[in-house]
Amino acid sequence: MVSKHYGESWCQKHLADQWLFQLQEKVDADLTEKARSKGCLLCGGRLHRSDYGRKSRGGPQWDVRFSLCCAREGCRRRHTPPSVRFMGRRVYAGLVVVLVSAMVHGLKPERVRMLRETLGIDRRTVERWRQWWLGVFPESSFWREARARFMPPLCLKTMPLSLCESFEVERRDRLLDLLKFLAPITTPTAWKELVM
Ligand SMILES: [Zn+2]
């Protein structure tokens, strides 16, 4: 049985952790470098950095999404690598979406409301996230492949709290691991399948 205050302290700690935000930026830079070294997936051309403006709400103040562009004339295809900061087209940082959505299952509604208001998140937004985690995410091809690594199977009714518990995200490095685990779904291409 999960306590009704479960996770409140680590949730708030992570959401104010400047060091964590810096680590996330570094991980994103590494993911971008890794994608760049592979070259253009379409024509094999060289990729160069072509970042674009993207603001994150709800915690960390990021304003650039790292991205790449094929340098070859006639291709110029954009390749936006996975991210541990941005989640598809969501305006809130990925970690805000994960942690606040988890708290919907970990806290009493009153505490969730306080958390929401502190971060300036609309009630309907959190409700949409909840439906996404319970409906869209478990049906995604990403999850259908990834779920096998969780033994015993995770409780789908308390997603993403069950995911957070499994990764033991009280620790900063474990939260980062969870965000890395989710990174493949954050690219514009992968995200298309995950839009509600
Ligand atoms: Zn190309």
Side-chain angles (χ1 to χ4, degrees), residues 90-131:
R90 294 204 193 287
V91 292
Y92 290 91
L95 100 151
V96 176
V97 178
V98 171
L99 293 177
V100 174
S101 302
M103 289 306 100
V104 170
H105 301 287
L107 300 179
K108 287 185 174 143
E110 177 61 18
R111 310 293 285 186
V112 176
R113 186 177 64 79
M114 283 167 60
L115 177 64
R116 225 177 13 79
E117 287 175 356
T118 311
L119 300 167
I121 311 171
D122 191 56
R123 183 180 56 79
R124 283 164 304 178
T125 301
V126 175
E127 177 55 25
R128 263 205 314 279
W129 292 349
R130 193 183 73 85
Q131 289 176 12

mmCIF file of all heavy atoms in Angstrom, residues 90-131:
data_model
loop_
_atom_site.group_PDB
_atom_site.id
_atom_site.type_symbol
_atom_site.label_atom_id
_atom_site.label_comp_id
_atom_site.label_asym_id
_atom_site.label_seq_id
_atom_site.Cartn_x
_atom_site.Cartn_y
_atom_site.Cartn_z
ATOM 1 N N ARG A 90 5.425 18.626 -25.736
ATOM 2 C CA ARG A 90 4.895 19.167 -24.487
ATOM 3 C C ARG A 90 5.641 20.437 -24.093
ATOM 4 O O ARG A 90 6.856 20.523 -24.231
ATOM 5 C CB ARG A 90 5.034 18.151 -23.359
ATOM 6 C CG ARG A 90 4.188 16.926 -23.550
ATOM 7 C CD ARG A 90 3.897 16.275 -22.211
ATOM 8 N NE ARG A 90 3.342 14.942 -22.384
ATOM 9 C CZ ARG A 90 2.107 14.714 -22.813
ATOM 10 N NH1 ARG A 90 1.316 15.727 -23.108
ATOM 11 N NH2 ARG A 90 1.673 13.482 -22.952
ATOM 12 N N VAL A 91 4.885 21.405 -23.559
ATOM 13 C CA VAL A 91 5.509 22.673 -23.187
ATOM 14 C C VAL A 91 6.192 22.584 -21.831
ATOM 15 O O VAL A 91 7.051 23.396 -21.504
ATOM 16 C CB VAL A 91 4.500 23.851 -23.181
ATOM 17 C CG1 VAL A 91 4.034 24.149 -24.589
ATOM 18 C CG2 VAL A 91 3.324 23.569 -22.278
ATOM 19 N N TYR A 92 5.823 21.588 -21.030
ATOM 20 C CA TYR A 92 6.488 21.417 -19.738
ATOM 21 C C TYR A 92 7.658 20.458 -19.886
ATOM 22 O O TYR A 92 7.616 19.535 -20.707
ATOM 23 C CB TYR A 92 5.502 20.899 -18.696
ATOM 24 C CG TYR A 92 4.482 21.943 -18.323
ATOM 25 C CD1 TYR A 92 3.280 22.036 -19.005
ATOM 26 C CD2 TYR A 92 4.760 22.872 -17.327
ATOM 27 C CE1 TYR A 92 2.359 23.025 -18.692
ATOM 28 C CE2 TYR A 92 3.850 23.862 -17.008
ATOM 29 C CZ TYR A 92 2.650 23.936 -17.695
ATOM 30 O OH TYR A 92 1.753 24.927 -17.388
ATOM 31 N N ALA A 93 8.678 20.705 -19.077
ATOM 32 C CA ALA A 93 9.863 19.839 -19.109
ATOM 33 C C ALA A 93 9.443 18.395 -18.829
ATOM 34 O O ALA A 93 8.517 18.152 -18.053
ATOM 35 C CB ALA A 93 10.867 20.310 -18.063
ATOM 36 N N GLY A 94 10.149 17.457 -19.436
ATOM 37 C CA GLY A 94 9.833 16.038 -19.266
ATOM 38 C C GLY A 94 9.775 15.611 -17.818
ATOM 39 O O GLY A 94 8.902 14.859 -17.410
ATOM 40 N N LEU A 95 10.710 16.110 -17.010
ATOM 41 C CA LEU A 95 10.720 15.664 -15.628
ATOM 42 C C LEU A 95 9.525 16.197 -14.849
ATOM 43 O O LEU A 95 9.042 15.530 -13.926
ATOM 44 C CB LEU A 95 12.061 16.007 -14.938
ATOM 45 C CG LEU A 95 12.219 17.199 -14.019
ATOM 46 C CD1 LEU A 95 13.302 16.893 -12.998
ATOM 47 C CD2 LEU A 95 12.639 18.414 -14.807
ATOM 48 N N VAL A 96 8.995 17.342 -15.255
ATOM 49 C CA VAL A 96 7.784 17.872 -14.631
ATOM 50 C C VAL A 96 6.597 16.961 -14.976
ATOM 51 O O VAL A 96 5.793 16.599 -14.109
ATOM 52 C CB VAL A 96 7.516 19.317 -15.104
ATOM 53 C CG1 VAL A 96 6.211 19.844 -14.547
ATOM 54 C CG2 VAL A 96 8.678 20.225 -14.714
ATOM 55 N N VAL A 97 6.524 16.574 -16.242
ATOM 56 C CA VAL A 97 5.436 15.705 -16.686
ATOM 57 C C VAL A 97 5.481 14.366 -15.940
ATOM 58 O O VAL A 97 4.460 13.862 -15.472
ATOM 59 C CB VAL A 97 5.514 15.455 -18.212
ATOM 60 C CG1 VAL A 97 4.414 14.507 -18.663
ATOM 61 C CG2 VAL A 97 5.436 16.767 -18.983
ATOM 62 N N VAL A 98 6.682 13.825 -15.773
ATOM 63 C CA VAL A 98 6.824 12.536 -15.094
ATOM 64 C C VAL A 98 6.493 12.672 -13.607
ATOM 65 O O VAL A 98 5.661 11.934 -13.069
ATOM 66 C CB VAL A 98 8.258 11.976 -15.263
ATOM 67 C CG1 VAL A 98 8.464 10.746 -14.376
ATOM 68 C CG2 VAL A 98 8.528 11.621 -16.720
ATOM 69 N N LEU A 99 7.123 13.626 -12.942
ATOM 70 C CA LEU A 99 6.990 13.717 -11.488
ATOM 71 C C LEU A 99 5.591 14.143 -11.053
ATOM 72 O O LEU A 99 5.005 13.544 -10.145
ATOM 73 C CB LEU A 99 8.044 14.675 -10.915
ATOM 74 C CG LEU A 99 9.500 14.193 -11.031
ATOM 75 C CD1 LEU A 99 10.455 15.254 -10.510
ATOM 76 C CD2 LEU A 99 9.707 12.877 -10.292
ATOM 77 N N VAL A 100 5.039 15.159 -11.699
ATOM 78 C CA VAL A 100 3.708 15.617 -11.300
ATOM 79 C C VAL A 100 2.660 14.539 -11.604
ATOM 80 O O VAL A 100 1.762 14.288 -10.798
ATOM 81 C CB VAL A 100 3.353 16.962 -11.977
ATOM 82 C CG1 VAL A 100 1.915 17.367 -11.671
ATOM 83 C CG2 VAL A 100 4.317 18.059 -11.521
ATOM 84 N N SER A 101 2.795 13.870 -12.752
ATOM 85 C CA SER A 101 1.863 12.797 -13.085
ATOM 86 C C SER A 101 1.963 11.664 -12.074
ATOM 87 O O SER A 101 0.957 11.048 -11.704
ATOM 88 C CB SER A 101 2.144 12.236 -14.482
ATOM 89 O OG SER A 101 2.067 13.243 -15.460
ATOM 90 N N ALA A 102 3.182 11.387 -11.601
ATOM 91 C CA ALA A 102 3.363 10.332 -10.592
ATOM 92 C C ALA A 102 2.672 10.732 -9.296
ATOM 93 O O ALA A 102 2.040 9.904 -8.629
ATOM 94 C CB ALA A 102 4.848 10.077 -10.358
ATOM 95 N N MET A 103 2.755 12.006 -8.954
ATOM 96 C CA MET A 103 2.180 12.478 -7.693
ATOM 97 C C MET A 103 0.655 12.389 -7.667
ATOM 98 O O MET A 103 0.045 12.339 -6.612
ATOM 99 C CB MET A 103 2.624 13.915 -7.398
ATOM 100 C CG MET A 103 4.091 14.054 -7.001
ATOM 101 S SD MET A 103 4.558 13.000 -5.617
ATOM 102 C CE MET A 103 5.351 11.641 -6.453
ATOM 103 N N VAL A 104 0.042 12.361 -8.840
ATOM 104 C CA VAL A 104 -1.410 12.186 -8.909
ATOM 105 C C VAL A 104 -1.797 10.873 -8.231
ATOM 106 O O VAL A 104 -2.848 10.756 -7.608
ATOM 107 C CB VAL A 104 -1.889 12.201 -10.385
ATOM 108 C CG1 VAL A 104 -3.349 11.773 -10.504
ATOM 109 C CG2 VAL A 104 -1.692 13.590 -10.986
ATOM 110 N N HIS A 105 -0.908 9.895 -8.299
ATOM 111 C CA HIS A 105 -1.165 8.600 -7.671
ATOM 112 C C HIS A 105 -0.557 8.501 -6.279
ATOM 113 O O HIS A 105 -0.862 7.587 -5.537
ATOM 114 C CB HIS A 105 -0.607 7.469 -8.543
ATOM 115 C CG HIS A 105 -1.192 7.440 -9.911
ATOM 116 N ND1 HIS A 105 -2.478 7.022 -10.179
ATOM 117 C CD2 HIS A 105 -0.680 7.822 -11.111
ATOM 118 C CE1 HIS A 105 -2.732 7.138 -11.460
ATOM 119 N NE2 HIS A 105 -1.653 7.617 -12.062
ATOM 120 N N GLY A 106 0.345 9.416 -5.958
ATOM 121 C CA GLY A 106 1.055 9.306 -4.679
ATOM 122 C C GLY A 106 0.518 10.216 -3.590
ATOM 123 O O GLY A 106 0.741 9.968 -2.414
ATOM 124 N N LEU A 107 -0.197 11.271 -3.982
ATOM 125 C CA LEU A 107 -0.630 12.271 -2.999
ATOM 126 C C LEU A 107 -2.147 12.442 -2.993
ATOM 127 O O LEU A 107 -2.820 12.095 -3.957
ATOM 128 C CB LEU A 107 0.002 13.629 -3.319
ATOM 129 C CG LEU A 107 1.511 13.755 -3.325
ATOM 130 C CD1 LEU A 107 1.879 15.184 -3.696
ATOM 131 C CD2 LEU A 107 2.089 13.385 -1.981
ATOM 132 N N LYS A 108 -2.625 13.035 -1.915
ATOM 133 C CA LYS A 108 -4.046 13.403 -1.873
ATOM 134 C C LYS A 108 -4.285 14.535 -2.868
ATOM 135 O O LYS A 108 -3.391 15.351 -3.111
ATOM 136 C CB LYS A 108 -4.407 13.888 -0.475
ATOM 137 C CG LYS A 108 -4.479 12.764 0.532
ATOM 138 C CD LYS A 108 -4.966 13.290 1.872
ATOM 139 C CE LYS A 108 -5.167 12.128 2.831
ATOM 140 N NZ LYS A 108 -4.794 12.471 4.202
ATOM 141 N N PRO A 109 -5.517 14.627 -3.429
ATOM 142 C CA PRO A 109 -5.833 15.644 -4.434
ATOM 143 C C PRO A 109 -5.446 17.059 -3.992
ATOM 144 O O PRO A 109 -4.971 17.859 -4.804
ATOM 145 C CB PRO A 109 -7.351 15.523 -4.593
ATOM 146 C CG PRO A 109 -7.657 14.126 -4.206
ATOM 147 C CD PRO A 109 -6.656 13.742 -3.159
ATOM 148 N N GLU A 110 -5.630 17.342 -2.707
ATOM 149 C CA GLU A 110 -5.308 18.662 -2.178
ATOM 150 C C GLU A 110 -3.819 18.995 -2.339
ATOM 151 O O GLU A 110 -3.442 20.099 -2.729
ATOM 152 C CB GLU A 110 -5.722 18.700 -0.699
ATOM 153 C CG GLU A 110 -5.392 19.983 0.035
ATOM 154 C CD GLU A 110 -6.086 21.210 -0.560
ATOM 155 O OE1 GLU A 110 -7.068 21.038 -1.300
ATOM 156 O OE2 GLU A 110 -5.609 22.333 -0.285
ATOM 157 N N ARG A 111 -2.972 17.984 -2.071
ATOM 158 C CA ARG A 111 -1.525 18.202 -2.199
ATOM 159 C C ARG A 111 -1.127 18.322 -3.668
ATOM 160 O O ARG A 111 -0.214 19.051 -4.013
ATOM 161 C CB ARG A 111 -0.733 17.059 -1.550
ATOM 162 C CG ARG A 111 -1.156 16.712 -0.151
ATOM 163 C CD ARG A 111 -0.857 17.830 0.809
ATOM 164 N NE ARG A 111 0.561 17.937 1.129
ATOM 165 C CZ ARG A 111 1.026 18.779 2.051
ATOM 166 N NH1 ARG A 111 0.194 19.567 2.712
ATOM 167 N NH2 ARG A 111 2.321 18.820 2.312
ATOM 168 N N VAL A 112 -1.797 17.572 -4.514
ATOM 169 C CA VAL A 112 -1.513 17.662 -5.955
ATOM 170 C C VAL A 112 -1.866 19.055 -6.450
ATOM 171 O O VAL A 112 -1.125 19.663 -7.218
ATOM 172 C CB VAL A 112 -2.309 16.603 -6.762
ATOM 173 C CG1 VAL A 112 -2.072 16.766 -8.263
ATOM 174 C CG2 VAL A 112 -1.922 15.199 -6.328
ATOM 175 N N ARG A 113 -2.986 19.588 -5.941
ATOM 176 C CA ARG A 113 -3.408 20.936 -6.340
ATOM 177 C C ARG A 113 -2.344 21.964 -5.940
ATOM 178 O O ARG A 113 -1.976 22.832 -6.727
ATOM 179 C CB ARG A 113 -4.751 21.287 -5.691
ATOM 180 C CG ARG A 113 -5.322 22.623 -6.178
ATOM 181 C CD ARG A 113 -6.692 22.925 -5.588
ATOM 182 N NE ARG A 113 -6.652 23.087 -4.138
ATOM 183 C CZ ARG A 113 -6.248 24.205 -3.509
ATOM 184 N NH1 ARG A 113 -5.856 25.245 -4.216
ATOM 185 N NH2 ARG A 113 -6.229 24.271 -2.190
ATOM 186 N N MET A 114 -1.822 21.829 -4.721
ATOM 187 C CA MET A 114 -0.796 22.770 -4.262
ATOM 188 C C MET A 114 0.455 22.702 -5.141
ATOM 189 O O MET A 114 1.023 23.717 -5.523
ATOM 190 C CB MET A 114 -0.426 22.482 -2.800
ATOM 191 C CG MET A 114 -1.477 22.991 -1.819
ATOM 192 S SD MET A 114 -1.257 22.337 -0.147
ATOM 193 C CE MET A 114 0.373 22.940 0.251
ATOM 194 N N LEU A 115 0.848 21.469 -5.446
ATOM 195 C CA LEU A 115 2.029 21.265 -6.290
ATOM 196 C C LEU A 115 1.814 21.896 -7.666
ATOM 197 O O LEU A 115 2.664 22.603 -8.196
ATOM 198 C CB LEU A 115 2.285 19.756 -6.416
ATOM 199 C CG LEU A 115 3.429 19.297 -7.301
ATOM 200 C CD1 LEU A 115 4.770 19.774 -6.764
ATOM 201 C CD2 LEU A 115 3.439 17.763 -7.400
ATOM 202 N N ARG A 116 0.645 21.639 -8.219
ATOM 203 C CA ARG A 116 0.258 22.168 -9.519
ATOM 204 C C ARG A 116 0.319 23.691 -9.535
ATOM 205 O O ARG A 116 0.875 24.303 -10.431
ATOM 206 C CB ARG A 116 -1.189 21.723 -9.785
ATOM 207 C CG ARG A 116 -1.439 21.199 -11.140
ATOM 208 C CD ARG A 116 -2.838 20.700 -11.391
ATOM 209 N NE ARG A 116 -3.912 20.975 -10.487
ATOM 210 C CZ ARG A 116 -4.579 22.130 -10.412
ATOM 211 N NH1 ARG A 116 -4.261 23.127 -11.178
ATOM 212 N NH2 ARG A 116 -5.582 22.271 -9.555
ATOM 213 N N GLU A 117 -0.268 24.280 -8.498
ATOM 214 C CA GLU A 117 -0.329 25.743 -8.452
ATOM 215 C C GLU A 117 1.046 26.364 -8.267
ATOM 216 O O GLU A 117 1.342 27.414 -8.825
ATOM 217 C CB GLU A 117 -1.306 26.190 -7.360
ATOM 218 C CG GLU A 117 -2.748 25.928 -7.782
ATOM 219 C CD GLU A 117 -3.774 26.236 -6.700
ATOM 220 O OE1 GLU A 117 -3.371 26.585 -5.572
ATOM 221 O OE2 GLU A 117 -4.984 26.114 -6.995
ATOM 222 N N THR A 118 1.879 25.698 -7.489
ATOM 223 C CA THR A 118 3.254 26.175 -7.313
ATOM 224 C C THR A 118 3.967 26.246 -8.660
ATOM 225 O O THR A 118 4.736 27.163 -8.936
ATOM 226 C CB THR A 118 4.044 25.213 -6.398
ATOM 227 O OG1 THR A 118 3.269 24.956 -5.243
ATOM 228 C CG2 THR A 118 5.390 25.795 -6.014
ATOM 229 N N LEU A 119 3.710 25.255 -9.508
ATOM 230 C CA LEU A 119 4.406 25.168 -10.796
ATOM 231 C C LEU A 119 3.641 25.879 -11.910
ATOM 232 O O LEU A 119 4.112 25.959 -13.047
ATOM 233 C CB LEU A 119 4.623 23.702 -11.180
ATOM 234 C CG LEU A 119 5.456 22.863 -10.195
ATOM 235 C CD1 LEU A 119 5.336 21.388 -10.521
ATOM 236 C CD2 LEU A 119 6.916 23.299 -10.241
ATOM 237 N N GLY A 120 2.444 26.365 -11.589
ATOM 238 C CA GLY A 120 1.636 27.066 -12.590
ATOM 239 C C GLY A 120 1.073 26.154 -13.668
ATOM 240 O O GLY A 120 1.014 26.519 -14.838
ATOM 241 N N ILE A 121 0.649 24.951 -13.266
ATOM 242 C CA ILE A 121 0.099 24.008 -14.242
ATOM 243 C C ILE A 121 -1.412 23.904 -14.072
ATOM 244 O O ILE A 121 -1.916 23.709 -12.964
ATOM 245 C CB ILE A 121 0.717 22.600 -14.082
ATOM 246 C CG1 ILE A 121 2.240 22.691 -14.001
ATOM 247 C CG2 ILE A 121 0.308 21.695 -15.230
ATOM 248 C CD1 ILE A 121 2.901 21.378 -13.630
ATOM 249 N N ASP A 122 -2.101 24.025 -15.176
ATOM 250 C CA ASP A 122 -3.549 23.948 -15.233
ATOM 251 C C ASP A 122 -4.050 22.558 -14.813
ATOM 252 O O ASP A 122 -3.408 21.562 -15.098
ATOM 253 C CB ASP A 122 -3.930 24.234 -16.700
ATOM 254 C CG ASP A 122 -5.404 24.459 -16.862
ATOM 255 O OD1 ASP A 122 -5.934 25.342 -16.176
ATOM 256 O OD2 ASP A 122 -6.022 23.739 -17.667
ATOM 257 N N ARG A 123 -5.227 22.516 -14.162
ATOM 258 C CA ARG A 123 -5.794 21.225 -13.738
ATOM 259 C C ARG A 123 -6.040 20.294 -14.933
ATOM 260 O O ARG A 123 -5.763 19.100 -14.887
ATOM 261 C CB ARG A 123 -7.121 21.483 -13.009
ATOM 262 C CG ARG A 123 -7.779 20.254 -12.444
ATOM 263 C CD ARG A 123 -9.088 20.608 -11.753
ATOM 264 N NE ARG A 123 -10.015 21.309 -12.645
ATOM 265 C CZ ARG A 123 -10.781 20.703 -13.573
ATOM 266 N NH1 ARG A 123 -10.723 19.401 -13.707
ATOM 267 N NH2 ARG A 123 -11.584 21.393 -14.351
ATOM 268 N N ARG A 124 -6.562 20.889 -16.022
ATOM 269 C CA ARG A 124 -6.861 20.058 -17.195
ATOM 270 C C ARG A 124 -5.607 19.480 -17.834
ATOM 271 O O ARG A 124 -5.626 18.400 -18.410
ATOM 272 C CB ARG A 124 -7.637 20.886 -18.236
ATOM 273 C CG ARG A 124 -9.100 21.066 -17.879
ATOM 274 C CD ARG A 124 -9.703 22.172 -18.699
ATOM 275 N NE ARG A 124 -8.938 23.406 -18.524
ATOM 276 C CZ ARG A 124 -9.205 24.545 -19.154
ATOM 277 N NH1 ARG A 124 -10.183 24.612 -20.028
ATOM 278 N NH2 ARG A 124 -8.474 25.629 -18.924
ATOM 279 N N THR A 125 -4.508 20.232 -17.733
ATOM 280 C CA THR A 125 -3.241 19.738 -18.275
ATOM 281 C C THR A 125 -2.816 18.465 -17.543
ATOM 282 O O THR A 125 -2.448 17.466 -18.168
ATOM 283 C CB THR A 125 -2.146 20.818 -18.142
ATOM 284 O OG1 THR A 125 -2.573 21.977 -18.845
ATOM 285 C CG2 THR A 125 -0.823 20.340 -18.716
ATOM 286 N N VAL A 126 -2.892 18.499 -16.223
ATOM 287 C CA VAL A 126 -2.500 17.320 -15.443
ATOM 288 C C VAL A 126 -3.447 16.154 -15.731
ATOM 289 O O VAL A 126 -3.018 15.003 -15.826
ATOM 290 C CB VAL A 126 -2.468 17.649 -13.928
ATOM 291 C CG1 VAL A 126 -2.180 16.408 -13.112
ATOM 292 C CG2 VAL A 126 -1.423 18.723 -13.645
ATOM 293 N N GLU A 127 -4.719 16.467 -15.929
ATOM 294 C CA GLU A 127 -5.683 15.416 -16.256
ATOM 295 C C GLU A 127 -5.347 14.791 -17.615
ATOM 296 O O GLU A 127 -5.425 13.568 -17.782
ATOM 297 C CB GLU A 127 -7.105 15.997 -16.246
ATOM 298 C CG GLU A 127 -8.211 15.023 -16.654
ATOM 299 C CD GLU A 127 -8.232 13.734 -15.831
ATOM 300 O OE1 GLU A 127 -7.751 13.749 -14.667
ATOM 301 O OE2 GLU A 127 -8.689 12.699 -16.358
ATOM 302 N N ARG A 128 -4.924 15.618 -18.561
ATOM 303 C CA ARG A 128 -4.517 15.090 -19.875
ATOM 304 C C ARG A 128 -3.306 14.194 -19.749
ATOM 305 O O ARG A 128 -3.219 13.143 -20.383
ATOM 306 C CB ARG A 128 -4.209 16.247 -20.837
ATOM 307 C CG ARG A 128 -5.342 16.629 -21.753
ATOM 308 C CD ARG A 128 -4.856 17.307 -23.033
ATOM 309 N NE ARG A 128 -3.852 18.329 -22.810
ATOM 310 C CZ ARG A 128 -4.112 19.581 -22.422
ATOM 311 N NH1 ARG A 128 -5.364 19.960 -22.233
ATOM 312 N NH2 ARG A 128 -3.144 20.458 -22.235
ATOM 313 N N TRP A 129 -2.345 14.633 -18.926
ATOM 314 C CA TRP A 129 -1.148 13.809 -18.704
ATOM 315 C C TRP A 129 -1.543 12.460 -18.113
ATOM 316 O O TRP A 129 -1.039 11.423 -18.516
ATOM 317 C CB TRP A 129 -0.180 14.510 -17.736
ATOM 318 C CG TRP A 129 0.452 15.743 -18.273
ATOM 319 C CD1 TRP A 129 0.435 16.189 -19.567
ATOM 320 C CD2 TRP A 129 1.203 16.719 -17.531
ATOM 321 N NE1 TRP A 129 1.131 17.368 -19.671
ATOM 322 C CE2 TRP A 129 1.610 17.715 -18.447
ATOM 323 C CE3 TRP A 129 1.573 16.835 -16.189
ATOM 324 C CZ2 TRP A 129 2.371 18.820 -18.060
ATOM 325 C CZ3 TRP A 129 2.323 17.928 -15.802
ATOM 326 C CH2 TRP A 129 2.712 18.920 -16.718
ATOM 327 N N ARG A 130 -2.465 12.525 -17.124
ATOM 328 C CA ARG A 130 -2.895 11.287 -16.463
ATOM 329 C C ARG A 130 -3.480 10.313 -17.499
ATOM 330 O O ARG A 130 -3.131 9.138 -17.536
ATOM 331 C CB ARG A 130 -3.943 11.606 -15.393
ATOM 332 C CG ARG A 130 -4.233 10.449 -14.437
ATOM 333 C CD ARG A 130 -5.331 10.831 -13.450
ATOM 334 N NE ARG A 130 -6.643 10.879 -14.095
ATOM 335 C CZ ARG A 130 -7.423 9.828 -14.276
ATOM 336 N NH1 ARG A 130 -7.047 8.646 -13.826
ATOM 337 N NH2 ARG A 130 -8.592 9.932 -14.882
ATOM 338 N N GLN A 131 -4.352 10.840 -18.346
ATOM 339 C CA GLN A 131 -4.970 9.979 -19.359
ATOM 340 C C GLN A 131 -3.934 9.439 -20.343
ATOM 341 O O GLN A 131 -4.041 8.302 -20.802
ATOM 342 C CB GLN A 131 -6.039 10.764 -20.120
ATOM 343 C CG GLN A 131 -7.260 11.044 -19.264
ATOM 344 C CD GLN A 131 -8.282 11.905 -19.985
ATOM 345 O OE1 GLN A 131 -8.184 12.124 -21.205
ATOM 346 N NE2 GLN A 131 -9.243 12.409 -19.246
#
